[in-house]
Amino acid sequence: MMAPQLYTHAFNISSVENRRLCINGTPWIWHLLEECVENAWEYWSVVIGLISIVCFLFAALPQLYVAYQNGKVDQALSLGFLLCWTGGDLTNFIGCYLTNQLPIQIVTAIFYVNMDIIVISQFAYYKLKNQKTTKCSINLKNFCVTWVLMCITLCVILPSQLLLRNQDQSTVLEASKNTLGMIEMSGFICGYVSCMFYLGSRFPQLYKNFQRRSTEGTSYLLFALAMMGNCTYGLSLVLKMPAAKALRNLYFLHHLPWLIGSFGVLFLDIFMTAQFIMYRKQNKRRPSLVAMEVEPLLVNEEDS
């Protein structure tokens, strides 16, 4: 959920025809990601990139738990925030699939989309439940259970299908350069669209918090893990940057949408953090102010 992107192979990297035998690389990275890592910079780029994936994978879980506890997720989260975030994850998945990324990347992208829809389903469920439409709530609850079961099934079936597709490389090897160029460009466009969705997702939530003057019902861990994920993802791209100036410029252009997406969202989440700090301090002051206002009234009642 969270600027989850195409990892370090995004756009033009790790195409099947460019994969080669890795003699001096790190074995476990080669077997897991099919990426040849031959120096410390590349090694730490991969490790930090994997940390970012873990952060994004677990980012939504605290929010699901908080929403289950208080049942006010429809009042706390902006629907625009959820829809934009889902749009970002969906275009990220399309980009992964079109550019023939590694199975681990595509499976991760599928997991992101599934988690997004589970969060939206929970949002819709509590929205209807809080409006006291009992019949709709029961139907939606059944839908959510069915959807979760479907997600689990897809997470089992799709990875196996992707692994089979990955083994059959002959059709990709025979593809023309023009076709590959169009596919890479489509992945690049998806990267920019995904970037705009991720950046746009924060503004509805910032405005929602400002309107309510509160962050109650929202888990800060959702944004903290997203910040950690975006920071480590952007850092993994920077560490991977080639030494040669000509290659560095090309690398920067190829990864520009994902760099903007990760560091841009990270910057906006700093404002989100400021809101959490500011509004929680205000909420702590309110009980003491109410007590100060009520105490003189009680004294006057006793004197009379």
Side-chain angles (χ1 to χ4, degrees), residues 249-263:
N249 292 337
L250 184 62
Y251 177 90
F252 180 77
L253 287 173
H254 283 174
H255 291 82
L256 184 60
W258 293 278
L259 285 167
I260 294 173
S262 58
F263 289 122

Side-chain angles (χ1 to χ4, degrees), residues 1-4 52-60 112 225-226 229-230 233:
M1 272 195 52
M2 333 320 166
S52 75
I53 288 178
V54 173
C55 290
F56 288 128
L57 284 176
F58 293 101
Y112 292 151
L225 288 171
N230 282 314
Y233 176 80

Side-chain angles (χ1 to χ4, degrees), residues 17-159:
E17 71 275 9
N18 289 333
R19 292 174 190 166
R20 55 189 172 81
L21 185 62
C22 185
I23 300 173
N24 300 320
T26 306
W28 70 268
I29 295 177
W30 173 251
H31 291 299
L32 179 65
L33 301 173
E34 295 186 21
E35 181 176 3
C36 194
V37 172
E38 297 178 333
N39 59 57
W41 292 106
E42 292 179 350
Y43 178 85
W44 284 110
S45 171
V46 171
V47 171
I48 292 173
L50 290 174
I51 292 172
S52 75
I53 288 178
V54 173
C55 290
F56 288 128
L57 284 176
F58 293 101
L61 297 181
Q63 180 57 46
L64 289 170
Y65 178 70
V66 169
Y68 173 76
Q69 272 193 320
N70 60 28
K72 296 180 181 178
V73 64
D74 57 310
Q75 301 172 24
L77 289 181
S78 165
L79 182 59
F81 165 69
L82 295 177
L83 292 177
C84 284
W85 205 339
T86 304
D89 287 343
L90 188 60
T91 50
N92 169 55
F93 164 68
I94 294 170
C96 277
Y97 190 83
L98 288 177
T99 52
N100 195 35
Q101 298 298 311
L102 297 173
I104 187 174
Q105 297 170 255
I106 301 176
V107 171
T108 303
I110 292 169
F111 184 87
Y112 292 151
V113 175
N114 286 339
M115 289 300 295
D116 292 342
I117 298 177
I118 289 171
V119 172
I120 290 176
S121 299
Q122 188 190 48
F123 177 93
Y125 171 71
Y126 282 110
K127 181 77 172 177
L128 292 175
K129 185 179 179 181
N130 293 337
Q131 290 176 353
K132 297 181 179 179
T133 54
T134 309
K135 187 176 179 181
C136 291
S137 297
I138 293 171
N139 291 334
L140 190 61
K141 185 176 182 179
N142 294 333
F143 169 77
C144 291
V145 172
T146 306
W147 174 254
V148 170
L149 293 174
M150 286 177 59
C151 289
I152 294 170
T153 305
L154 286 173
C155 287
V156 172
I157 294 174
L158 286 177

